[in-house]
Amino acid sequence: PLGMAALGALAPLVVLYILKQKRQEQVVPAAFLWRNALEDLRASSLFQRLRTPLLFFLQVAAVALFALAAAGASLDLDVGGEPRRMIVVVDRSRSMRAADEDRRARIDVARELCTDAARGLDGGDELMLIAFDEQAEVLAAFTSDEDVIEQAIERLEARDLGSRPAAALGLAGSFAKASPGFRPEVVVLSDGAVQGELPLLSCEVTFARIGTSGANQGIAEARLTRLPGERPQVFVRVDNAAPRAVERTLVLRRGDEVIDARRLTLAAGRDAVAFFELDDPAGDGPVILDVALERAEEGTDVLADDDRVRLVLRPSVPRSGLLVRDRPNVYLDARKLASLHPGLGVVECTPEDAAASLAAGAHVDLVVYDRAAPQDLPDVPAQIYVGCLPPGSGLVSSGEQEYPIVIDWEHTHPVTARCQFDDLLIEASLRLSGHERSEPLVDTTGGPLVLLTPVPGREVLVVALDPERSNLPLKLAWPLLLANSLDYLLSGVEREGEAALARTGEPIRVPGAEGFTVTTPAGVREAAVPAADGLPVFAATFETGVYEVETDKGARDLRAHALLDADEIRIAPAEELVLGGERVEASPANLQRNVLLRDPLLLLALGILVLEWALWCGRR
């Protein structure tokens, strides 16, 4: 509207044409040379009648064109009977940081397209902006206010999360259905590197594809393992999503010190793995390890955010366990269990004492039930049941089977590796049913004897016999089975905050803390907020890197987060989206619904001024 104020220049233009020129009287020898001025001389008033020569109309046209250009006049290419409701669904996952759009990041191009969509709104049109990664968020509800939309676009940033648009598209479909009197349309701004099944939408859908390249390598997996009695190891898997083979260098650092490096040859579309051995940290505090891909050739890696992962190496923490039974067993005691797994401390107790300790919140990493099953499944990560069954597993004992014969066992599974059961003599064992979901490790003529069975939230080991009623304790397979089981079950046990690396998006909790603050990898300091259970939690772990945690009592800790997602490494733009079985072809990334006439109007106005000047000069 302010641009149309330029039409006010017409007022002085008209005034200049109707003003009478003020003459000064002079005595001259003759007046025939002044015939052209006779008409002005006869005028006796200040103003004269408006003359409308061709030059006047050209000057009026030039002023009008300048005003239209300043007002942002445009030509609408989408004329409809009903106003539009455009729902723009924008991908903000990590792949949108790829810099392959004329060396611009894809998310920057998405912002420009959102701005074009906002400028293309007509009087009754409205726009909604929804962003998605692994979650969906409405950045701007239906509005035609460009300032509100612009503020929402400014908040649009790519995050280190995966791309799962199903929730965002479902939300967009719901808003489209609830738009009576409008013509709804859903526009998806993405590179199409998305995961999961997408819902079918009942309105017009446009897939504006962003991105041009799929050249990328990234760290798809990184693990820090610590086996009993061995040095810590770092396992790294690197994926190559580029259409040709490349060579990269994988470097492991501790601070500024290079510990080790590996030269990796990555075939097109394939991966490579590397192992690094470390020394235990000398001090009591955590050590930050940095794994990075380096030495990329020009144009072979357009996304650098997945080339680096940080891990936290902590001093080894002793594990605690309970041996629960109501009668002694010479073949299974706490001291023998502790000796089979370095760093494990085991306490023997009765079922009643165990239930009371667990109910009081005692930190227990392992519990072994020896012929004394609990009434409820304990909240303990590693569990072994000997001669009894875990509650809630679906396993049912229909009595005993006498003298079952071992017919086979898993020779390569970590629990039964290096064990021999071919000459095992068993007087009696439990006859089990309901083990269809379990993984049998030792099988007999009467059913599984040793098995891994799923229970709510974890997997537990069941030994369906009483060792005293077999010759198993007299064989080397018995201590090997126990040692393997402890290593297998405890290898994945990590208390809250002990993990060397967590996935981005996983919240940070500090057990026992009433409050804590977190400094993000970008240097932003934020306080944890109470969750639904009343305990403080920090959920905004959307950046790859190390988060510094400080409790209200001054204790400090480090937490490392990274997006280890092979799907986000494959960043090649998709040719289509499949919505509920219906294919939506990718269209050029262009949401401009009208043609801005500013430049043509300015050129036309300039041409008119040149013509007016030429005519004026011609008359002279």
Side-chain angles (χ1 to χ4, degrees), residues 503-577:
R503 199 174 188 277
T504 50
E506 293 184 5
I508 295 177
R509 295 178 180 269
V510 180
E514 297 180 358
F516 62 92
T517 58
V518 175
T519 302
T520 68
V524 180
R525 187 178 176 87
E526 298 183 35
V529 297
D533 55 5
L535 299 177
V537 62
F538 179 79
T541 56
F542 305 136
E543 302 174 68
T544 292
V546 177
Y547 293 76
E548 298 182 10
V549 180
E550 182 179 357
T551 66
D552 49 1
K553 297 181 180 179
R556 296 178 180 270
D557 192 15
L558 300 176
R559 307 288 181 91
H561 289 255
L563 175 63
L564 302 176
D565 191 339
D567 292 324
E568 282 298 305
I569 296 175
R570 293 186 283 270
I571 62 171
E575 297 294 334
E576 62 184 10
L577 289 181

Side-chain angles (χ1 to χ4, degrees), residues 181-501:
F182 289 87
R183 180 161 51 95
E185 176 186 358
V186 174
V187 178
V188 182
L189 299 181
S190 172
D191 51 19
V194 299
Q195 304 135 44
E197 295 183 1
L198 306 182
L200 179 64
L201 303 184
S202 58
C203 60
E204 180 184 352
V205 179
T206 301
F207 171 32
R209 184 184 61 190
I210 303 173
T212 60
S213 173
N216 184 43
Q217 298 88 46
I219 299 175
E221 188 175 358
R223 294 199 311 266
L224 176 63
T225 60
R226 190 195 301 266
L227 297 177
E230 298 183 8
R231 299 168 62 190
Q233 289 184 333
V234 175
F235 167 81
V236 183
R237 179 169 64 85
V238 179
D239 281 8
N240 178 25
R244 66 184 183 90
V246 297
E247 287 192 355
R248 300 293 299 271
T249 300
L250 187 67
V251 181
L252 175 65
R253 290 183 174 89
R254 180 168 47 208
D256 296 331
E257 175 192 1
V258 175
I259 299 177
D260 205 348
R262 298 283 189 275
R263 187 69 174 174
L264 302 180
T265 300
L266 300 164
R270 304 299 295 272
D271 61 4
V273 298
F275 289 91
F276 300 95
E277 278 196 342
L278 308 169
D279 293 326
D280 280 311
D284 297 331
V287 175
I288 298 177
L289 302 176
D290 194 315
V291 183
L293 275 176
E294 299 181 355
R295 300 180 184 178
E297 299 179 11
E298 182 70 22
T300 61
D301 191 355
V302 297
L303 178 61
D305 291 72
D306 54 9
D307 291 351
R308 184 184 184 191
V309 171
R310 285 186 160 188
L311 306 97
V312 178
L313 174 62
R314 307 175 190 277
S316 58
V317 179
R319 300 301 179 187
S320 60
L322 295 178
L323 175 57
V324 184
R325 62 187 178 193
D326 51 11
R327 63 182 187 272
N329 186 343
V330 68
Y331 302 115
L332 185 63
D333 60 36
R335 183 178 56 83
K336 291 180 180 179
L337 281 176
S339 64
L340 294 174
H341 189 87
L344 175 64
V346 181
V347 176
E348 185 176 332
C349 62
T350 64
E352 294 77 16
D353 293 339
S357 298
L358 295 174
H363 288 291
V364 178
D365 303 296
L366 168 73
V367 60
V368 180
Y369 289 98
D370 180 16
R371 300 166 295 177
Q375 294 183 352
D376 300 313
L377 188 72
D379 187 16
V380 177
Q383 303 179 28
I384 300 177
Y385 293 80
V386 179
C388 58
L389 303 180
S393 63
L395 294 178
V396 178
S397 174
S398 57
E400 292 185 346
Q401 55 176 335
E402 294 183 352
Y403 299 103
I405 300 174
V406 174
I407 56 177
D408 195 12
W409 69 89
E410 292 288 341
H411 296 263
T412 59
H413 195 278
V415 173
T416 52
R418 304 183 302 276
C419 295
Q420 294 290 329
F421 300 98
D422 49 357
D423 57 349
L424 185 61
L425 179 61
I426 306 171
E427 180 183 346
S429 67
L430 299 178
R431 185 184 300 275
L432 301 180
S433 60
H435 52 78
E436 291 78 9
R437 297 185 300 116
S438 303
E439 180 183 4
L441 303 179
V442 179
D443 208 358
T444 70
T445 53
L449 186 69
V450 179
L451 65 158
L452 287 168
T453 186
V455 297
R458 60 186 53 84
E459 188 179 48
V460 302
L461 180 72
V462 177
V463 180
L465 60 82
D466 181 356
E468 292 183 337
R469 303 180 67 182
S470 71
N471 66 343
L472 179 58
L474 304 178
K475 299 172 62 64
L476 182 60
W478 177 239
L480 281 177
L481 177 64
L482 291 177
N484 291 344
S485 302
L486 295 176
D487 291 346
Y488 177 78
L489 294 174
L490 290 173
S491 63
V493 171
E494 289 176 341
R495 296 178 184 172
E496 189 76 35
E498 287 185 355
L501 181 64

Side-chain angles (χ1 to χ4, degrees), residues 38 56 60 74 129 148 162 178 215 237 261-262 324 334 366 424 476 602:
L38 291 179
F56 173 77
V60 170
S74 60
L129 186 61
V148 175
R237 179 169 64 85
R262 298 283 189 275
V324 184
L366 168 73
L424 185 61
L476 182 60
L602 289 176

